[in-house]
Amino acid sequence: MVLHCYFHSLGHSRSKELKGNPITFYADIVNAMLIRATGQNLQMEYTRSLKLLDHVKLSEKPGKIIPSGDIAALVYLWNPFTIVACVGLSTSPIENLAIILSLYGACKRQAPLAAFGWVIATHLSLYPAILIIPMILLLGYGTDTPPRKLFLQRRNVEVGDNPPNDRCCEREEVVHRSEVPHVFSWRPVIHFFCWTSLWSVYVLVLCGISVKQYGGLWELFKRTYGFMLTVQDLSPNIGVLWYFFAEVFDFFRNFFLIVFHGNILFMMLPLAIRLKHRPCFLAFVYIAISSMLKSYPSVGDSALYLGLLGLFVNELADMQFSFFLFCGYVGVSLLSPVMHNLWIWRGTGNANFYFATAMAYACLQIILVVESVSAMLNHDRKLRKPLTELQDGKN
Amino acid sequence: MAESEAEVPKAKPRPIVRLGIFLISHSCLFSVICCTAGVLTLLLLPVLAKNTYISENALMPGSANPMFSSQEVSEANRLVKSLTSLDSKPVGSGIESQRLIAEYMSDLGAEISYHKFYPRSNQFHPLHFFSYPDSGSTRENVSCISHGLNTVGIIRAPRGDGKEAIVLVTPYNSLKVGPGEALSLGIAYSVFSLLTQVTWLAKDIIWLVADSRYGEYAAVNAWLRDYHMPVFSGLSALKAEICPVSNVHNELKENSVTERKINDGFRRAGTMATALVIKVTDGSEHFEDSLSIYAEASNGQMPNLDLINIVNYLAVHRQGLRVKVEKMRSLINCKWLKILGEILQSLGHVAKSLNPQWKFGIPAKDYVEGAATLASSLYYQALGVPTGPHGAFRDYEIDAITMEISSRVALNNKARKNDFLLRGGRLIEGVIRTVNNLLEKFHQSFFLYLLTSPSKFVSVGVYMIAFALLVASLPVVAASLYADAHKVDPSFGIDKSTPQASATDELSITPRSCKWLNAAKKVFLVHLWGAVVSFLPYFICQIPSCTPTTSFVVWVLLSSFSLPILSLILGSSFSYGRPSQPQKRDWTLLKSVTISAAFIGLCLMSVINFATAEIGALLMVPMCLMAQPLKLDIRSRKLRKFLRVACNLALGFLGFPPAGFFVLKGAFEGFGGITVGDFWSWLESIWSWSSATYLYIGWFERTRS
């Protein structure tokens, strides 16, 4: 599989060397490798928790559990969006690199790496700042597992059940039980915060030195984060904000800016409560939402969350509307350049033509997020089902 | 709503979900109704056409009295006479006529410049559609021997700021000036001479005398390209190096007319608001003087409807010319169309008798004519090849039409000729004066429309209904097939699994929703093959010294070889050795994926070029809906099945020949490099066909195996 993966990335590299843009290209390759490592980590955890929950048949069947890391890496590398963003010399592969680096570091529970990734990602594109919640959860609880209630339930079942005198098995159980992350461990989180403050001070100092003659840090913030938050550039992109803020009256502008950005923040907390046992998936949902609502979205952002979606291929296998979503993505990604051409170059269309595709794209993203979250919750329910049956049988 | 079938409808689902389920469960009936309705609406379009109106208020057509008088007519006659006398002289080379015209122009006080161009071989660029027109023109491999020479005269507007211009184009063959061409030059010259004197001019006037030795389109296109792409000194020096002989030639000519104020460089006059191409033909009309309007530009683009409206209004109401647009002559004598027209007429009468407010009936004759015009309008838009030199302007977002004025009798009679010149000149003066009133670009009226007569049109909102009805059945059928495939599946799964394992099987990770990935891979492969096949001509074109036949054979061979190679690379096999149940399920999924791909493709094409999409939909939708695996049908020997097989084969055959025909035509015209300035648009249109048609070949191939 590794060979397969490398073969593909080699093919990928060849297709990209034609354009000669080494930095973004290498960033993409590193991204894919990090995604793969993260995926392997997640998968190990997944099989382990399945074993703990006694779905032994499931976990042992060969071919039943798909190597999600490889899939995700391949999806990321071969995604036309990634290729387009890379060939177009977009900086999004580098932003993606920072995000993935922080996720990887958090999965491996390496607080310095996670902190570094998070600080750089926030510095580069600001929106990854909301990833701090999944980071904390990841460092505190560990990677994605089924809900903790299930483990407790399982233990109750075991306690009620008098196991046959199979000592070695019991010992294993004990060992496993001790491994189950029940409590929030504060140590790595505090480490993370220390490292975060260290890295951010470091980045700020470096920035301060380099922009001293251009007006200092405040000017930097105004020109970068302020530019992102106040949506000053209204040139058309695949998002919906440019059209909206071109149309809106000036005296409502601030209000709607707050509404749109508040939208992301409002969604954070409920999702964090509901999905706290799956911090990686939570990070995916956050990235998808922010790439939908951010001020200047690009296809590179979609490439990132589509790649991360591949990480959960085992859990999301039963997702509804997958075919519809696929068709929609293909259709929109073909239609939107045509509409742009019709508007800008041929002059027979107008802005509404292009905006229609942007709206369709936003709707597709919403459906994707909603469906993936519901599929994930359904998956958790399915895991609980045999346990409850077992318990009912006992009672 | 596609997958809502999967939900168990215990709790009453929402109405929209129920509607979706209803549609999906009755998809067969629904698709038949939709297709019929789509075809019917298409046939009804001539009835639904609206009268044109002038949408832009600033235009005010015909509000001023024409200033064009008999004095200008005599000017025109002078030019025509000297041109014909020049033509009768045997020594007169191509240069002579241009010099003559330039002399006449400079007598009027216009700025004159020559534009030398080299005819370029038509090249197909795969990404032409998305790039700026002719951005890749730096790579010139032209022969220095043959070049054309356009003469350009510019009048600066007394009231303008030189930011805008109106273009008059008169194509003529500089080697042999025909009588019609001489007359068109005469009309343009007389109008030009009038415009040098008027005070109301707010836009500059450019008169382009295009040298149509190498085709009218090529000359105009070359001039437009140079107009919009400034050539810097370095490049021109390079050019001079390449072609020293002709440059010397040019200088010689300039020396011969040194006393005139002829400018060496390229003259420009701001952005062009409108371009009018003027042509004259004579002696072919039976009834009265008439004016033919040609508007179709490359790739089915049309100029703004207001421009056609102005010309139509001025020609009919001011000059009394009969305005025509192209129509399909074969359809006028069509019997079934006549019958349909009569039915519609009687229906209209019935409706009128029921309620006098309903006035949708039109006479049968009008209907037939409208249908013929509509058909030709669709045909030319679908073809994507411009119908005249005006097509070059549309690539630069300039609205342009060709006005072909033809007289009733041969113009030997002097009085007749003068009258004809007067009317033609007044018409053009009127159009220019109206466009001169325009404050901004044409934007008010429609760009997307079909003409059913010069004064009637079908707008995008109306003709899209026909297309939408035709296409609407595709997603519904795809959804129902997809749902079917899922229904077939669980029963199959339960058959094999033991009851005790069912608990874990339920949460088994068989990627239920990802089964379509395999089918999608296959469809992608076939589409890729289609794309490869349609891009092959570009590479074959690069092979030097190739006759059309050999290159065609090479193309066929290469394309047939490329499919196995592609399937080998992507590692998907076309062989099936499994039981029939999963095969059937695979088939259903494959069909569903194919239909959705066809739907996306058709929707995409309808945005790019509506007419192509409409014609493609007419062919493809029945094919998509009827297609069935041959093998399964043949196995079960029933009459109904047999009928279906026959239907399929017939449709497949029907679907293929047009593609073959198009491909053949495209191959010969493109490889021969005859005229097609838009080989790419040919291929583009062919591509949308081919990818679909190849799909069918793919289908039949794998269903037979």
Side-chain angles (χ1 to χ4, degrees), chain B residues 464-478:
Chain B
M464 266 296 173
I465 295 174
F467 179 73
L469 278 175
L470 202 56
V471 173
S473 54
L474 288 183
V476 173
V477 170

Side-chain angles (χ1 to χ4, degrees), chain B residues 102-230:
Chain B
E103 272 172 37
Y104 269 86
M105 274 189 203
S106 63
D107 282 343
L108 293 176
E111 291 176 23
I112 299 153
S113 66
Y114 290 113
H115 168 245
K116 192 172 57 168
F117 69 96
Y118 302 96
R120 305 197 317 153
S121 56
N122 299 314
Q123 278 178 342
F124 169 70
H125 294 287
L127 286 176
H128 196 306
F129 178 72
F130 288 112
S131 59
Y132 197 71
D134 295 306
S135 55
S137 63
T138 46
R139 181 168 55 94
E140 301 244 356
N141 46 353
V142 289
S143 57
C144 297
I145 308 134
S146 63
H147 68 93
L149 197 66
N150 293 333
T151 319
V152 184
I154 298 174
I155 308 174
R156 302 289 172 191
R159 306 191 159 204
D161 50 2
K163 296 272 171 60
E164 284 178 306
I166 300 171
V167 187
L168 286 176
V169 183
T170 46
Y172 84 112
N173 190 344
S174 60
L175 294 180
K176 175 84 183 73
V177 184
E181 285 169 344
L183 268 180
S184 71
L185 282 173
I187 289 181
Y189 173 67
S190 52
V191 173
F192 201 66
S193 72
L194 172 73
L195 293 175
T196 49
Q197 300 152 23
V198 295
T199 51
W200 44 259
L201 208 58
K203 294 179 165 74
D204 298 347
I205 301 290
I206 306 175
W207 180 20
L208 171 67
V209 184
D211 188 356
S212 67
R213 229 183 308 177
Y214 307 104
E216 297 166 355
Y217 183 86
V220 176
N221 194 28
W223 180 73
L224 274 173
R225 193 171 54 236
D226 287 348
Y227 192 95
H228 287 94
M229 307 250 161

